[in-house]
Amino acid sequence: QVQLVESGGGSVQVGGSLTLSCTGSRIILSTNGVSWYRQTPGNQREFVAVVASGGARVYADSEKGSATIWRNNDENTVYLQMNNLPPEDKASYYCKTTNRKKDYWGQGTQGTVSS
């Protein structure tokens, strides 16, 4: 089975940043693109960024300048740094990869933004 595990959520002040980690098997993460999504209560899960197996990165237009994604294959990890976080009580961040035409999601990690 493909398993992804997110970590790095927590509390941060408005305007602060969070660095999130997505960890999985070395083979899966190194050979497939990995993307990050975020979801706030009552809203759909929205794409944030993706990093391809070769390192190419694409960001959602709404997140350009606020998000940075990178991978460290030696650590079996894809990172997402969210900057200048807006006032939100909470948001969940999920990483996803596609292997053999099937999507695999982590269970998510939650961040809370406070004043």
Side-chain angles (χ1 to χ4, degrees):
Q1 288 184 310
V2 175
Q3 183 175 358
L4 302 177
V5 179
E6 300 96 338
S7 63
S11 298
V12 63
Q13 295 181 352
V14 174
S17 64
L18 285 173
T19 300
L20 309 170
S21 302
C22 175
T23 301
S25 74
R26 187 184 306 275
I27 293 176
I28 295 300
L29 292 186
S30 66
T31 59
N32 299 285
V34 178
S35 57
W36 280 95
Y37 291 73
R38 71 188 302 271
Q39 185 174 28
T40 55
N43 296 305
Q44 298 295 116
R45 193 171 299 181
E46 296 184 347
F47 170 79
V48 176
V50 59
V51 57
S53 60
R57 295 173 288 184
V58 177
Y59 298 92
D61 288 341
S62 62
E63 304 294 344
K64 290 181 178 179
S66 298
T68 303
I69 188 171
W70 73 97
R71 61 166 63 243
N72 188 324
N73 290 340
D74 291 336
E75 298 176 349
N76 306 328
T77 301
V78 173
Y79 295 93
L80 176 73
Q81 184 176 79
M82 298 294 298
N83 303 309
N84 301 315
L85 289 167
E88 294 176 339
D89 185 53
K90 54 190 174 184
S92 295
Y93 295 85
Y94 302 85
C95 61
K96 177 185 74 73
T97 192
T98 301
N99 182 255
R100 299 180 183 272
K101 300 182 179 181
K102 183 177 180 180
D103 291 340
Y104 294 88
W105 293 86
Q107 292 189 1
T109 184
Q110 187 175 88
T112 301
V113 182
S114 61
S115 60

